[in-house]
Amino acid sequence: VDWVGDRPVIIDQTLLPHELRMISLETVDEVIDAIQRLAVRGAPALGVAGALGVALACRLGGDEADVRAGAARIRAARPTAVNLAWAVDRVLARLPDGPDAAVAEAVGLLEADAAINRALSERGADWIQARVAGPMAVQTHCNAGALACVEWGTALGVVRSLHLRRGVREVFADETRPLLQGARLTAYELGEMGVPYRIVVDGAGASMVTRRLVDVVIVGADRIAANGDVANKIGTLPLALAAARVGVPFVVAAPESTIDPATPSGDAIRIEERDGAEVLGASAPAGARAYNPAFDVTPADLVTAIVTQDRIIEPARGDRPA
Amino acid sequence: VDWVGDRPVIIDQTLLPHELRMISLETVDEVIDAIQRLAVRGAPALGVAGALGVALACRLGGDEADVRAGAARIRAARPTAVNLAWAVDRVLARLPDGPDAAVAEAVGLLEADAAINRALSERGADWIQARVAGPMAVQTHCNAGALACVEWGTALGVVRSLHLRRGVREVFADETRPLLQGARLTAYELGEMGVPYRIVVDGAGASMVTRRLVDVVIVGADRIAANGDVANKIGTLPLALAAARVGVPFVVAAPESTIDPATPSGDAIRIEERDGAEVLGASAPAGARAYNPAFDVTPADLVTAIVTQDRIIEPARGDRPA
């Protein structure tokens, strides 16, 4: 995600790993479309894209009411990742100081992202290396890498930091149905990093953990409730259940902006339901229906550690993020 | 699975749900190929197909050594489902009495399958209805239906029996990557039965349970160890972990022949690893590798009940199958 010529520029993640195409978003509708069809995805990247979308609305002219109307539509484009609403609100808060102030706020969020992710990744790597002997095998789910952020990554940022310390033997990446962010994006990023990896089906992740084929589970988050419950891509919960059973650390890597003090617990997190057609493909019988929740909630007592740029929170030991 | 004109006849399950094609297996090699490429699959169906494969070897002439050599190759075609080895051994045990006796034993196993499944299904439905108010929502994984047997089914047999008692509101079927037995076969069978169903990705099953969107989990098994550990299709374990957490019954439906007294616990079960190409498809980056274990092991303490044609075993309460 970048800001070039007063326009948000994103990598169209739907085309990866086979094509790396940058697209410049010219209208608020294009920003919303890119968010909804997951051309830009990942909680931190959604936050920055939302902020830059509001900046775009400022630069397209129109009065403050127009900008606020566009911002409200961007804010509602996807419901679960709190970073989107958080970043839009951050930019809107500067709007009374004029469009230039709002744009500067958005660009500031963009520029801060890399440093935030690098800081949380180093902190996470420190915490893990103090507890897990290396070189280690890591289980992850979905994509919480550079593609999900501006650069470096959150969960894959921790992997990147561990890898630079020669601390990673192999990563097992859940393919992450229905949209295969693991098989497409995480695999692509790990290949670029030079980290050995294998893809597994989502059903395999839990037994990778209980068979002790992995030493640590590291995932990102879309929203962390005040009590430490974690919403993340559907299929995260099985890894946490398995990890708790056998005492493997389950680590959530996310910026502070993913923690939502206004959400008391996971029960209050709205889980986005997406089109069943994403699940069905060509294999199901004619007339088949699907239920397609995009996220699940991992209860706080299963979360060994939440790693942010500022701190380590240990919900399973009773720590509360907010 | 059937025996027609001294040949095993199977439905080629790789072509479902779009084409219902019967194939007659003319040689031992064709039997082995059908088993290995999952044209015939499901623990009870594998048992019957293996038995009929030995019967075919008898009918193709050759001496007892030839039949035993063919039987050994059939027996080893897939390692995890114990029914295959069990049924082959049952037929071989009659071989000293001549080929007609062996063929009669194989056909006897074929003919007994439907009654066994109907009995275990009625028993399972009774047990569940005594504990879960209906009409209920059921979570299942993979396919343990009529297609996995000769007719009626095991896990889907229980669903069939519950449905005939008007006890089922809806079934949620994990799609069951990588080969989509849920989306292809379970969906097909539920549609034929007239049971309302929706397909979910495998990552969603655990949270279907923890969100209490389902009232009971019912699955089949490929091998049940003496202590009650259950090997079943990869992705079963997450459902059991979730069910134990929230007190939803986790029910395994299988014939007595799936219980293997010679396997003390799940640690001793050989987990088949299949070709990574089944996982990768076209989405992963060039050069990506996959790890593709076909089964996982659910520990006995997570198994609320094992239902067979003869009895109910409650491993989570300390019952041992053998």
Side-chain angles (χ1 to χ4, degrees):
Chain A
V1 187
D2 207 350
W3 177 250
V4 180
D6 280 353
R7 296 289 182 271
V9 174
I10 63 165
I11 295 169
D12 185 343
Q13 297 190 38
T14 67
L15 303 177
L16 285 172
H18 301 306
E19 183 181 349
L20 183 65
R21 186 192 296 174
M22 316 292 287
I23 51 177
S24 176
L25 304 174
E26 302 293 323
T27 66
V28 168
D29 282 343
E30 287 184 14
V31 172
I32 292 167
D33 179 63
I35 290 172
Q36 290 184 331
R37 70 186 182 85
L38 277 52
V40 57
R41 48 146 296 283
L46 279 173
V48 173
L52 296 179
V54 181
L56 172 66
C58 292
R59 287 294 181 241
L60 291 176
D63 58 17
E64 185 174 327
D66 290 336
V67 172
R68 288 193 182 276
R73 290 168 53 227
I74 292 169
R75 195 180 189 281
R78 294 191 70 196
T80 304
V82 69
N83 308 64
L84 176 59
W86 172 87
V88 166
D89 291 345
R90 280 278 296 254
V91 178
L92 285 179
R94 298 298 308 278
L95 204 53
D97 303 326
D100 287 351
V103 171
E105 180 72 17
V107 173
L109 291 177
L110 167 70
E111 290 173 348
D113 184 86
I116 289 170
N117 290 330
R118 194 179 289 245
L120 75 84
S121 295
E122 290 294 312
R123 188 185 304 277
D126 290 345
W127 189 91
I128 290 167
Q129 285 193 313
R131 287 157 182 80
V132 179
M136 63 190 79
V138 177
Q139 177 76 42
T140 192
H141 186 71
C142 197
N143 173 266
L147 289 165
C149 309
V150 174
E151 59 179 78
W152 202 263
T154 54
L156 278 194
V158 176
V159 170
R160 190 186 300 270
S161 293
L162 287 168
H163 173 60
L164 292 174
R165 303 176 189 185
R166 304 183 187 279
V168 178
R169 187 173 79 246
E170 183 170 17
V171 175
F172 290 94
D174 280 349
E175 60 175 359
T176 316
R177 285 275 298 151
L179 296 178
L180 297 171
Q181 291 93 336
R184 293 190 300 111
L185 308 178
T186 296
Y188 173 83
E189 290 199 44
L190 291 169
E192 294 287 308
M193 281 188 227
V195 175
Y197 71 89
R198 279 182 279 177
I199 298 168
V200 298
V201 295
D202 301 326
S207 56
M208 297 298 293
V209 176
T210 60
R211 292 169 71 189
R212 306 303 292 255
L213 298 178
V214 298
D215 303 297
V216 59
V217 179
I218 314 176
V219 297
D222 289 86
R223 187 181 298 236
I224 299 171
N227 74 336
D229 291 351
V230 174
N232 192 46
K233 177 60 54 190
I234 194 79
T236 301
L237 172 64
L239 303 181
L241 289 162
R245 181 174 172 93
V246 295
V248 163
F250 178 86
V251 178
V252 175
E256 286 284 335
S257 55
T258 303
I259 297 170
D260 181 18
T263 298
S265 73
D267 295 339
I269 298 175
R270 184 175 151 211
I271 300 297
E272 178 183 5
E273 289 179 21
R274 295 181 60 86
D275 189 341
E278 289 182 351
V279 175
L280 292 173
S283 295
R289 290 190 309 142
Y291 174 58
N292 186 18
F295 302 94
D296 61 27
V297 174
T298 296
D301 65 281
L302 303 180
V303 179
T304 317
I306 297 168
V307 178
T308 79
Q309 69 270 36
D310 293 337
R311 54 187 171 143
I312 301 278
I313 306 142
E314 300 189 22
R317 299 177 64 168
D319 289 356
R320 289 174 58 91
Chain B
V1 187
D2 207 350
W3 177 251
V4 180
D6 279 352
R7 296 290 181 272
V9 173
I10 63 164
I11 295 170
D12 185 343
Q13 297 190 39
T14 67
L15 304 176
L16 284 172
H18 301 306
E19 183 182 350
L20 183 65
R21 186 192 297 173
M22 316 293 287
I23 51 178
S24 176
L25 303 174
E26 303 294 324
T27 67
V28 168
D29 282 343
E30 287 184 14
V31 171
I32 292 167
D33 179 64
I35 290 172
Q36 290 184 331
R37 69 185 182 87
L38 275 52
V40 58
R41 49 147 294 285
L46 280 173
V48 173
L52 296 179
V54 181
L56 171 66
C58 292
R59 286 296 180 240
L60 290 175
D63 59 17
E64 186 174 327
D66 290 336
V67 172
R68 288 193 181 274
R73 290 168 54 228
I74 293 169
R75 194 180 189 282
R78 293 192 70 196
T80 304
V82 69
N83 308 64
L84 176 59
W86 172 86
V88 166
D89 290 345
R90 280 277 297 255
V91 178
L92 286 179
R94 298 298 307 280
L95 204 53
D97 302 326
D100 286 350
V103 171
E105 180 72 16
V107 173
L109 290 177
L110 166 71
E111 291 172 348
D113 183 85
I116 288 170
N117 290 330
R118 194 179 288 246
L120 74 85
S121 295
E122 290 294 311
R123 187 185 304 276
D126 290 346
W127 188 91
I128 291 167
Q129 285 193 313
R131 287 156 183 82
V132 179
M136 64 190 79
V138 177
Q139 177 75 42
T140 192
H141 187 72
C142 197
N143 173 268
L147 289 165
C149 309
V150 174
E151 59 179 80
W152 202 263
T154 55
L156 278 194
V158 176
V159 169
R160 190 186 300 270
S161 292
L162 287 168
H163 172 61
L164 294 174
R165 302 177 189 186
R166 302 183 188 281
V168 178
R169 187 173 80 247
E170 184 170 14
V171 174
F172 290 94
D174 281 349
E175 60 177 358
T176 316
R177 287 274 297 148
L179 296 178
L180 297 170
Q181 290 93 337
R184 294 190 300 111
L185 308 178
T186 296
Y188 173 82
E189 289 198 45
L190 290 169
E192 295 287 308
M193 280 188 227
V195 175
Y197 72 89
R198 278 182 281 176
I199 298 167
V200 297
V201 295
D202 301 325
S207 56
M208 298 297 293
V209 176
T210 59
R211 294 169 70 190
R212 305 304 293 254
L213 297 177
V214 297
D215 304 297
V216 60
V217 179
I218 314 176
V219 297
D222 289 85
R223 187 181 298 234
I224 299 171
N227 74 336
D229 291 351
V230 174
N232 192 43
K233 178 59 52 190
I234 193 78
T236 300
L237 172 64
L239 303 180
L241 289 163
R245 181 174 172 94
V246 296
V248 163
F250 178 85
V251 178
V252 175
E256 287 283 335
S257 54
T258 301
I259 298 169
D260 180 19
T263 297
S265 74
D267 295 339
I269 297 175
R270 182 173 152 212
I271 301 297
E272 178 183 5
E273 290 179 22
R274 294 181 60 85
D275 190 340
E278 289 181 350
V279 175
L280 292 173
S283 295
R289 291 191 307 144
Y291 174 58
N292 186 18
F295 302 93
D296 61 26
V297 173
T298 296
D301 64 283
L302 303 179
V303 178
T304 317
I306 296 168
V307 178
T308 78
Q309 69 270 35
D310 292 338
R311 54 188 172 142
I312 301 277
I313 306 143
E314 299 188 23
R317 299 178 64 170
D319 288 357
R320 289 175 57 92

